[in-house]
Amino acid sequence: MANSLSISAAEGLPRRTWRRDLLKHMRRYPSLWLGSSLLGLFGLLIAFAPLIARYPPNQQNLAMRLKPPSAEHLFGTDELGRDIFSRVLHGGQISLPAALIVVTISLTIGGLLGAFAGFFGGFIDDLIMRIADVTLAFPAVVLALAISALLGPSLNNAILAACVVLWPEYARLIRSQVIVARTFEYVTAARSLGRREVGILLRHVLPNTWTPILIKAALDVGSIILLVSALSFIGLGVRPPTAEWGSMVALGRTKFYQWWVATFPGLAILVSILACNLISEGLRNWLDPRT
Amino acid sequence: MSLVRYIVRRLILTIPMLFGITLVLFLIYNLVQVDPLVMIIGERAMDNPQLVEAAIRKWGLDRPVWEQYLTYLTNILRGDLGTSFLTRRPVLDDLRTHLPATVELAVSSLLFAVLLGIPLGVLAGVYFGSLFDRSVWFISLLNGSLPPFWTGLIFLFVFYYSLGITPGPGRFPPRMERPPVFSGLLTLDSLIAGDMAAFGGALSHLILPTVILGGFTLALVLRVTRAAIVEEMRREYIRTARSKGLAERLVVVRHALRNALLPLVTIIGLAFAGLLSGAVMTETVFDWAGIGQYLVRAAASLDYPAIQGGTLLIAVIYVVVNLCVDILYSVLDPRVRHG
């Protein structure tokens, strides 16, 4: 043992340290690290928005209406003289948590339903999957639009609508994963040791299905940011005067000569979705190298 | 399984799906805590006892819920989707006037995506890992991150207001006379009427919304084509084709692309869902008088019959498109039928 160690040291092979491993990982999966840093940085800016922004998001100043970007107002001001930079940062406090909540709820509900359907099969499987099929028969935006219109415009209803359209995708994905995983030998082994079925599902099958789910979840955080902002854009999500990216873009719809009103909140949507897509792409390269 | 048997089986499977869609729509409307009467005739008509009486009788509102569902189904099958609060016309008539605009936009977006996406995808797949491949990858990643309602506005800012090289929102030059309605597709109608100026006008209004709406589909088509080409180029028949001295261009076009096109057929269905979803946003930004814009207006003014009817129509179109894609796929690839 001591011998082999000294040989590798003599030949100048780099020693494995966590710092080198990390660097290597960053070089091999640049999109994962680029996306995470982008989202992390953006997340920090948003979390500390009250400290960073010089003006409260809803403070009106009619003397400063529709002013172009300047040192005073980094992203300019809107038609009520509100600071767009501050509103973009504060808007993130709605969009990012909302997207995370939607994905978490859909993943939990859809995941459990899909896992039970795939593991036990039979009538439960048929029932759950037919409901999922019918929900997926509607294009997502259209169903979310109908539901949030019916329930009335509010952030909570937009979140609910997004969960309704998202859960079946997870149910389908996890079901197909579980159907493959339940035939593995360790399941038979666990069963022959007398474990209960639900225990096998939760302890042995599900932990082996998380790779594609993680990849999809990262992607979906981006899609839900888009969906929620789209609902707000058409007036069905977050109500004014709360700062939200989609409704801020809507404010700029008629301001063709004040390009900054719509541009900056849109860029915020773009950057956060791009970060999620990069993370998802990087996770796929890292965890699922076959594709 | 023979082709005919497969198609028949697939058709039969569609029927419960259509029932399911109507059931979902019926249920979400019943779960909401709004008086169903208000949803059918609107707040303003509630003072009119005759209208209230007529609506109760027509939609069976004094009957048990399951009978209401049957009444709802019967009315749908008769083509009665209720009356829009906003336009005061039958929803079906409204949908009929708005559908061609959406079809025109969706078809041109699909054409845009396919005509541009397949060649670019093939090139990226053939030059896998090259700078070109990576830039195509990055552009399609960026494209997939763009909110269409925002990109639409930016395009209008730049190409209409600043540069003035494209027309503004709307389907047709405002001061030009529209061609006589035949299909409702303005480009087709002006061609039928032989009016080239109108055709040019309709076509130029299509450009921006097509690029925005088709951009999403383009990224999808491109990714699938690229992956399929990379996969096919590793196959043995490619080596055979090369070893018999076939020019590389022909190897790619005649052999690899042919097989790579197969998975593309399946994503057309997926792409179509994207187009219908995207149409909602794109039509709103470009003031395009299609189903998407109709739905958004209905949603904004709580025009329940219009929302319900529009959603139903889009879901049915989506199911039918997927049915056609499945059948087409089974014709192209016999393995599906036997699988």
Side-chain angles (χ1 to χ4, degrees):
Chain A
M1 273 307 268
N3 207 7
S4 68
L5 257 180
S6 65
I7 287 174
S8 77
E11 288 177 353
L13 285 177
R15 267 192 307 141
R16 274 178 68 102
T17 65
W18 66 268
R19 220 172 292 173
R20 276 211 188 83
D21 284 351
L22 189 68
L23 271 175
K24 204 172 130 200
H25 195 266
M26 287 170 117
R27 263 203 300 274
R28 278 190 68 181
Y29 308 107
S31 39
L32 176 62
W33 287 94
L34 187 64
S36 322
S37 343
L38 207 58
L39 196 64
L41 196 70
F42 206 34
L44 279 180
L45 281 177
I46 286 165
F48 293 105
L51 300 178
I52 297 165
R54 251 193 266 175
Y55 305 90
N58 287 327
Q59 180 183 302
Q60 301 184 3
N61 181 356
L62 294 179
M64 290 294 285
R65 294 176 65 228
L66 295 169
K67 289 278 179 274
S70 61
E72 189 68 14
H73 297 280
L74 222 43
F75 291 173
T77 59
D78 67 7
E79 57 190 345
L80 296 173
R82 295 173 295 193
D83 181 49
I84 294 180
F85 179 67
S86 168
R87 289 179 68 76
V88 165
L89 289 190
H90 284 88
Q93 294 184 344
I94 292 185
S95 301
L96 294 186
L100 287 175
I101 291 171
V102 169
V103 171
T104 312
I105 295 178
S106 312
L107 177 61
T108 315
I109 294 179
L112 282 177
L113 286 175
F116 275 92
F119 194 73
F120 295 107
F123 173 72
I124 303 179
D125 185 19
D126 279 339
L127 181 70
I128 293 174
M129 294 325 289
R130 288 306 79 76
I131 296 175
D133 285 347
V134 167
T135 316
L136 288 172
F138 296 89
V141 173
V142 176
L143 186 59
L145 179 123
I147 294 174
S148 36
L150 277 178
L151 298 178
S154 81
L155 179 62
N156 286 345
N157 290 341
I159 288 179
L160 184 68
C163 289
V164 171
V165 301
L166 193 59
W167 78 265
E169 297 186 17
Y170 284 100
R172 250 194 202 172
L173 178 67
I174 294 179
R175 174 177 176 271
S176 65
Q177 290 286 311
V178 165
I179 284 178
V180 174
R182 73 172 176 189
T183 59
F184 288 145
E185 277 171 11
Y186 58 75
V187 175
T188 321
R191 195 168 284 145
S192 63
L193 287 173
R195 259 197 174 279
R196 277 178 305 138
E197 292 295 300
V198 176
I200 295 175
L201 174 61
L202 294 180
R203 295 287 292 277
H204 299 272
V205 174
L206 276 186
N208 286 293
T209 59
W210 59 274
T211 305
I213 295 158
L214 205 61
I215 295 170
K216 181 174 166 49
L219 199 65
D220 283 341
V221 173
S223 328
I224 297 300
I225 290 176
L226 181 62
L227 181 64
V228 171
S229 61
L231 289 176
S232 300
F233 175 78
I234 55 183
L236 286 178
V238 180
R239 300 297 288 171
T242 312
E244 198 275 346
W245 296 336
S247 54
M248 288 172 72
V249 174
L251 278 183
R253 263 186 83 176
T254 47
K255 305 278 179 300
F256 282 109
Y257 297 100
Q258 288 89 29
W259 54 271
W260 56 89
V261 179
T263 302
F264 291 109
L267 274 177
I269 305 177
L270 169 63
V271 168
S272 31
I273 300 177
L274 186 65
C276 294
N277 289 355
L278 280 169
I279 293 175
S280 173
E281 183 94 16
L283 282 175
R284 191 196 314 273
N285 291 338
W286 178 27
L287 302 171
D288 196 5
R290 282 163 303 160
T291 48
Chain B
M1 211 187 299
S2 76
L3 185 60
V4 178
R5 271 187 64 191
Y6 175 80
I7 292 176
V8 169
R9 209 173 73 105
R10 191 61 188 71
L11 275 174
I12 291 171
L13 281 176
T14 307
I15 294 168
M17 190 62 132
L18 292 174
F19 275 113
I21 287 171
T22 56
L23 189 62
V24 166
L25 277 175
F26 179 78
L27 283 180
I28 51 180
Y29 274 79
N30 269 272
L31 292 177
V32 181
Q33 299 296 319
V34 180
D35 183 356
L37 251 178
V38 177
M39 287 203 183
I40 290 167
I41 58 175
E43 204 81 63
R44 261 178 286 170
M46 287 300 280
D47 301 332
N48 185 336
Q50 276 168 326
L51 275 176
V52 170
E53 181 64 28
I56 289 179
R57 219 171 320 119
K58 181 173 154 199
W59 297 92
L61 295 181
D62 49 351
R63 318 293 308 167
V65 174
W66 63 271
E67 262 182 61
Q68 284 180 36
Y69 174 62
L70 287 184
T71 317
Y72 168 67
L73 263 187
T74 327
N75 286 341
I76 288 179
L77 289 175
R78 280 205 205 112
D80 188 344
L81 298 173
T83 305
S84 159
F85 302 163
L86 212 59
T87 61
R88 312 234 150 245
R89 294 189 337 146
V91 172
L92 192 69
D93 289 356
D94 277 349
L95 293 176
R96 215 177 274 151
T97 46
H98 283 84
L99 185 62
T102 301
V103 170
E104 188 169 41
L105 184 56
V107 168
S108 89
S109 301
L110 200 59
L111 279 178
F112 170 76
V114 167
L115 292 182
L116 209 63
I118 293 183
L120 284 179
V122 169
L123 283 177
V126 170
Y127 300 108
F128 175 63
S130 66
L131 186 67
F132 174 75
D133 178 32
R134 268 179 284 170
S135 19
V136 162
W137 170 83
F138 181 73
I139 291 172
S140 82
L141 184 78
L142 191 69
N143 198 357
S145 315
L146 289 167
F149 54 91
W150 177 72
T151 332
L153 280 181
I154 300 289
F155 271 41
L156 278 176
F157 285 161
V158 175
F159 295 106
Y160 172 53
Y161 277 88
S162 304
L163 302 175
I165 50 177
T166 61
R171 285 181 73 198
F172 204 70
R175 280 186 198 82
M176 209 184 269
E177 200 179 326
R178 292 197 174 211
V181 178
F182 182 72
S183 63
L185 277 63
L186 288 173
T187 43
L188 196 63
D189 284 353
S190 14
L191 276 185
I192 291 171
D195 186 347
M196 289 321 281
F199 177 68
L203 205 60
S204 65
H205 273 84
L206 259 173
I207 297 174
L208 284 188
T210 297
V211 171
I212 300 294
L213 184 55
F216 250 52
T217 323
L218 172 69
L220 185 70
V221 170
L222 207 155
R223 257 202 319 272
V224 175
T225 314
R226 175 180 170 277
I229 288 282
V230 170
E231 177 92 18
E232 293 299 326
M233 291 301 278
R234 291 189 188 135
R235 296 280 169 90
E236 283 178 2
Y237 69 87
I238 294 290
R239 201 189 312 161
T240 312
R242 276 181 182 150
S243 63
K244 72 181 183 188
L246 202 61
E248 186 66 17
R249 193 171 52 85
L250 293 179
V251 172
V252 173
V253 175
R254 281 214 197 133
H255 294 255
L257 180 58
R258 269 204 159 179
N259 288 301
L261 284 180
L262 215 52
L264 264 176
V265 174
T266 46
I267 65 147
I268 298 292
L270 196 64
F272 210 80
L275 286 177
L276 290 177
S277 280
V280 173
M281 305 315 302
T282 315
E283 286 179 2
T284 306
V285 173
F286 286 98
D287 193 21
W288 195 266
I291 299 284
Q293 197 200 35
Y294 181 69
L295 258 182
V296 169
R297 286 203 178 151
S301 54
L302 295 184
D303 186 350
Y304 298 110
I307 304 173
Q308 203 173 13
T311 315
L312 178 70
L313 178 71
I314 290 184
V316 169
I317 293 177
Y318 184 36
V319 169
V320 171
V321 167
N322 270 319
L323 175 74
C324 296
V325 167
D326 276 3
I327 291 176
L328 183 63
Y329 196 67
S330 74
V331 173
L332 295 176
D333 187 354
R335 282 173 299 181
V336 177
R337 280 175 261 152
H338 301 293

